[in-house]
Structure formats: C-alpha cells, structure tokens
C-alpha cells in the first residue's frame, strides 16, 4: 500500500478547525434529559479538539483553530491541548459568550442522546484573523470534521485554509461526522461534497461511506470516491476493527482490540488523530492502523471523550497488553 498519501510532518503541523466544547456526562442510562439525574464533568471535548489532542499526544505536530469563552470551561480545554503539545495560538478567547457545551446520556442500546450549545456559544464565534493566517500559512495538513461545517464562521475559515494548504503542497483529510442533532442545510451539504472531492484521506464510520459517495453499497461507494480523487479511505467499523482501502485496489483489515467499554464518545476522533499523525510521521498503513485502533480502544476504557488519548509509549504498552479480536 502507498506510503506517501499525506504530506510529511516536516512540511508543517496538522491543523483542525471547529468546535471546542466541554462535555457533561449523565451517569445513568436512559433516554434523553427530561428528568433530573447525576452528571459528571466538565471534560474537554468537541470532535475537532479530540482529534487534534490525540494527534499532538502521539507526537505529531498539531495546531487548533476555534474559540472558547473566557471561563473555566475554556481554560479546561486550553490547558489540556497545550499539555498535549497542541499549538493554541489561533484559538480565540471570547469575552462575551461562554464556552460551548455538550450534554450526553447513553441509552441501554449504547446509542447516545446529545444536547448541544454550539451556535449560541463562543465555539462558533471565530473567523479569519492574523493568528489564524499565521497558523494556516505554516500548516502541512488540514483535517475537517463534518460537525464544524454546521458553523458558518468555521465553514468560511475551512474553505480558505484548504486552498492555502493544498496550494503549498499540503494534504486534506475528512471525517464526515455529521451528527443527527445538528442541522444540515444545502450550504453544508454543498461544502461537504466539495471537501470530499478534494480529500486525500477519508475517515468514515458505518454508513458515512455511502453518504460521502452519494451511492449505496460499500463497493460502489468506494469506486465513486476513488473516481472523485480520494487517495485512501479508512473505514472505521467499531468493534469490528477498521479497513484501509487504496486506489490501487489493495485493502488491509485491522482487527479491533478487546476492551471493556466505559464511554465510547471520542473513540473515532482519537482513531483519526492517531492515524493521520502516524501516516504523516512516515509510518505505513499497517503500523498506523494499529496505533489508530489502539488509540480508539484505549479511549473508551475511561469516562470522558479525550481522557484516554494516548502517547506513543502508552499506546505501545496498550498494544502489548491487550488482545485483538
């Protein structure tokens, strides 16, 4: 399988643009939030923030573009990202709006109900400025989560950043991640399709593969995406592992690690952060998939969406001690 799908880490950091949130988790199992119940948190969160935290923690150069409030929830996020090696110089601190939030409760089936405050929080209040231009100007890769596209301000920054980074020889990865709780309109669908067509790497889960391709069936969807120009597709299958598909027709299946799941939120984001960082650090598909699967699995063993994000040494220890399916 090809090794040079993504630009090398030496070209510049991987950047992620989007929502930075705190997450509050219900400790009871049930449907939604229509009754009082015990909660734990705040945990640093937001799909782009989880991704970039794992990217930095495993040793890749990393930077975040977004916004937090001038409050303890914002400080929780900034302190975690800095501690894990992420450049936060392009994260705006908004003094008028609070840090975004997500409340999550798990159902007996394992499905999740979220209550978000993104649109009317600091999370959506950032745009192109000198700090953002400086980070984008030295970046070598940009990763886009579908959730970020629901914020018009983020969509505008993403469009400009992708063009600049691709022009300087950088690369783009896309994780569809358009959650059911977030409103998706024609503008978002159009930008999502444009990003998929420009992507070097696609990281879908489940039926997101077919949605990205616009056709039904795994094989037709893969064919269509490669026709659009995608170079590599890593399909996340949860407890069934993951599969990397390449344009040359080759594939590599990676079995999942066997763990006791405590909190699955953030697993796919940690998987993606580890995979992108490892590929940019020059690892082949098999090694990168192993680290990515380990990062996702390790993260579900503790409560909180990025509390289990691992360093390379921690993931090596996890791989050595944990059986695979």
């Amino acid at each position: 399988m090809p090794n040079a799908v993504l630009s090398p880490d030496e070209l510049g950091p991987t950047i992620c643009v989007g929502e930075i949130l705190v997450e509050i988790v219900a400790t009871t199992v049930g449907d939604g939030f229509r009754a009082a119940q015990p909660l734990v948190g705040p945990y640093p969160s937001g799909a782009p923030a989880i991704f970039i935290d794992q990217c930095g923690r495993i040793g890749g150069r990393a930077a975040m573009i977004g916004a937090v409030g001038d409050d303890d929830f914002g400080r929780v996020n900034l302190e975690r990202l800095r501690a894990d090696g992420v450049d936060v110089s392009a994260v705006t601190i908004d003094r008028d709006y609070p840090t975004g939030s997500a409340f999550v409760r798990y159902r007996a089936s394992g499905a999740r109900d979220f209550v978000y405050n993104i649109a009317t929080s600091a999370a959506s209040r950032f745009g192109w400025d000198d700090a953002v231009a400086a980070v984008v100007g030295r970046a070598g890769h940009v990763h886009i989560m579908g959730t970020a596209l629901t914020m018009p301000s983020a969509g505008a920054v993403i469009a400009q950043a992708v063009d600049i980074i691709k022009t300087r020889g950088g690369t783009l990865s896309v994780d569809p991640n358009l959650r059911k709780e977030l409103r998706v309109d024609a503008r978002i669908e159009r930008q999502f399709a444009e990003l998929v067509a420009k992507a070097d790497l696609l990281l879908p889960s489940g039926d997101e593969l077919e949605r990205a391709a616009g056709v039904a069936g795994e094989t037709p969807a893969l064919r269509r995406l490669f026709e659009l120009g995608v170079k590599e597709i890593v399909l996340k299958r949860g407890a069934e592992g993951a599969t990397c598909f390449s344009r040359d027709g080759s594939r590599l299946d990676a079995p999942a690690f066997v763990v006791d799941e405590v909190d699955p939120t953030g697993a796919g984001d940690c998987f993606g952060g580890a995979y992108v960082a490892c590929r940019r650090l020059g690892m082949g598909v098999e090694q990168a998939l192993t680290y990515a699967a380990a990062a996702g699995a390790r993260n579900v063993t503790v409560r909180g969406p990025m509390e289990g994000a691992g360093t390379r040494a921690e993931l090596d220890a996890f791989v050595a001690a944990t059986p695979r399916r």
Side-chain angles (χ1 to χ4, degrees):
M1 294 186 120
N3 278 340
V5 168
L6 301 184
S7 65
D9 201 63
E10 290 80 5
L11 181 63
T14 294
I15 66 169
C16 207
V17 182
E19 70 277 11
I20 305 172
L21 314 173
V22 290
E23 190 159 302
I24 313 295
V25 184
T27 60
T28 61
V29 174
D31 295 345
F33 287 94
R34 286 178 247 181
Q37 60 204 273
L39 305 166
V40 293
Y43 297 111
S45 188
I50 300 166
F51 169 93
I52 205 66
D53 186 80
Q54 177 60 86
C55 184
R57 193 160 172 77
I58 202 173
R61 298 170 66 191
M64 182 70 199
I65 297 172
V68 297
D70 185 18
D71 51 34
D72 282 349
F73 289 173
R75 286 182 274 278
V76 162
N77 276 284
L78 292 179
E79 289 168 5
R80 173 64 58 83
L81 293 170
R82 285 194 194 102
D84 288 342
V86 178
D87 177 355
V88 295
S89 61
V91 175
T92 297
I93 299 176
D94 192 299
R95 306 192 187 284
D96 297 318
Y97 282 73
T99 300
S101 61
F103 288 74
V104 60
R105 190 183 190 197
Y106 291 95
R107 299 185 181 189
S109 66
R112 295 166 288 176
D113 290 315
F114 285 92
V115 176
Y116 286 110
N117 178 24
I118 298 176
T120 57
S121 75
S124 64
R125 291 173 55 83
F126 66 93
W128 195 269
D129 59 21
D130 290 345
V132 170
V135 167
V136 171
R138 62 175 182 267
H141 181 84
V142 55
H143 178 77
I144 304 302
M145 313 289 295
T147 52
L149 301 180
T150 63
M151 301 183 295
S153 57
V157 171
I158 286 166
Q160 196 166 346
V162 168
D163 286 345
I164 291 170
I165 292 167
K166 294 281 278 188
T167 297
R168 71 183 299 260
T171 45
L172 165 68
S173 54
V174 175
D175 184 332
N177 200 28
L178 289 168
R179 297 203 56 81
K180 64 181 175 63
E181 293 87 357
L182 300 175
R183 184 177 301 170
V184 177
D185 59 21
R187 175 194 65 82
I188 295 167
E189 292 286 5
R190 183 168 57 253
Q191 186 171 20
F192 175 64
E194 291 169 355
L195 289 168
V196 168
K198 293 178 180 179
D200 299 280
L201 169 66
L202 192 68
L203 289 155
S205 299
D207 60 7
E208 291 174 348
L209 176 73
E210 297 175 32
R211 177 169 188 179
V215 296
E218 184 174 295
T219 299
L222 290 167
R223 184 185 307 114
R224 174 59 179 154
L225 290 165
F226 288 133
E227 288 171 352
L228 288 173
V230 179
K231 298 181 179 69
E232 187 169 285
I233 299 169
V234 176
L235 180 59
K236 295 172 285 182
R237 304 183 190 272
E240 302 304 314
T243 304
C244 178
F245 300 93
S246 295
R247 292 182 72 180
D248 63 8
S250 58
R251 66 178 282 170
L252 183 64
D253 294 295
F257 288 90
V258 180
V259 294
D260 292 326
E261 183 178 280
V262 174
D263 183 355
T265 300
D269 307 322
C270 283
F271 180 105
Y275 188 81
V276 168
C278 288
R279 293 291 274 144
R280 296 201 67 218
L281 289 166
M283 296 183 199
V285 169
E286 185 172 10
Q287 187 177 16
L289 275 179
T290 297
Y291 276 120
R298 186 178 189 272
N299 197 55
V300 308
T301 63
V302 294
R303 194 183 303 277
M306 66 170 80
E307 299 309 297
T311 64
R312 187 165 175 179
E314 288 169 339
L315 294 176
D316 283 335
F318 178 87
V319 170
T322 311
R324 303 183 79 167
R325 294 188 187 278

